[in-house]
Amino acid sequence: MSAAAAPIQQDSPSDSPLLRADADGIATLTLNRPAARNALSLGLMAALQAELDAIRADRGVRAVILRGAGPAFCAGHDLKEMRAQPDRASAEAVFRACSALMLAITRLPQPVIAQIHGIATAAGCQLVATCDLAVCTHEARFATPGVNIGLFCSTPMVALSRAVPRKAALEMLLLGEPIDAAEALRIGLVNRSVPESELEGTVRGMAARIAAKAPRVLAIGKEAFSRQADLGLEEAYAYAAEVMTRNMMMADAAEGIDAFLQKREPRWEA
């Protein structure tokens, strides 16, 4: 699906829950349920999963931006939808779809940047923690508030506990209180906090710099980063050495090193 990525102010019956716009090797995915603060309904998660699957196979896409339409980035799961179908099978379907979605982002060859304004709560905070990079406005707020409504944020905990220090994650999970952009930056939940007027430019600038790199090298590096993090130190070094050896045999490595030595711009493989 392809559409302009400008913020949408309200839902209409014809609106897609997800918008995609491609330009200069960057795919921008806009969560488009602004009236629901972009809550992750089953429909929105399915649409996002489908686009990620398409992007995985699209060599023209070298970086992805994930953003939200309207006043917020993402308010988490659609609680109204979940309460309308309170049976176990429906709950399993929601959390299974969400887990698959987060794994798809992690395993996507292309780096994904979260562009956050407003709130990112519960599964919305999970999205932020899962993305490879994250930039927010100074006014953004983050929370895993499930404990306050009797539903501990156990699946958001998986991504959060891997993105920030243990005690910072537990404080968010146990207290359920929002943190501001400055605290999110301090604990490493986001990479940068900028004025709202600079958000889009900052994110697109980062995406453009990523898109200028060798796509196959980015893919091998992103996969290696995730895999080595789950290994012991000795095993991690052995794995990383094998990855670097494999990378060194790639045409892009030869081209990049030659370009550096010859003081010219490299010409990467598509």
Side-chain angles (χ1 to χ4, degrees), residues 6 36 203 210:
V203 172
I210 289 171

Side-chain angles (χ1 to χ4, degrees), residues 99-135:
S99 297
L101 177 60
M102 301 302 163
L103 285 170
I105 293 172
T106 300
R107 293 170 177 170
L108 195 72
Q110 300 92 333
V112 183
I113 307 173
Q115 177 178 315
I116 308 118
H117 70 290
I119 60 168
T121 55
C125 189
Q126 183 182 4
L127 271 177
V128 174
T130 300
C131 288
D132 302 300
L133 301 174
V135 180

Side-chain angles (χ1 to χ4, degrees), residues 243-255:
V243 171
M244 285 207 75
T245 300
R246 180 156 37 96
N247 191 167
M248 188 66 187
M249 299 300 101
M250 294 170 59
D252 279 329
E255 168 62 14

Side-chain angles (χ1 to χ4, degrees), residues 254-267:
E255 168 62 14
I257 293 170
D258 288 348
F260 174 77
L261 294 174
Q262 297 166 17
K263 296 181 173 56
R264 60 173 175 81
E265 290 296 316
R267 295 179 291 274

Side-chain angles (χ1 to χ4, degrees), residues 176-199:
E177 297 171 353
I179 64 171
D180 61 18
E183 179 67 2
L185 181 63
R186 187 188 73 81
I187 65 175
L189 182 57
V190 299
N191 298 89
R192 300 184 190 181
S193 173
V194 299
E196 185 173 4
S197 61
E198 298 177 14
L199 179 62

Side-chain angles (χ1 to χ4, degrees), residues 156-193:
M157 172 180 67
V158 175
L160 184 65
S161 65
R162 286 161 169 73
V164 306
R166 178 178 183 272
K167 285 185 169 58
L170 280 169
E171 182 173 344
M172 291 184 67
L173 291 161
L174 295 173
L175 298 184
E177 297 171 353
I179 64 171
D180 61 18
E183 179 67 2
L185 181 63
R186 187 188 73 81
I187 65 175
L189 182 57
V190 299
N191 298 89
R192 300 184 190 181
S193 173

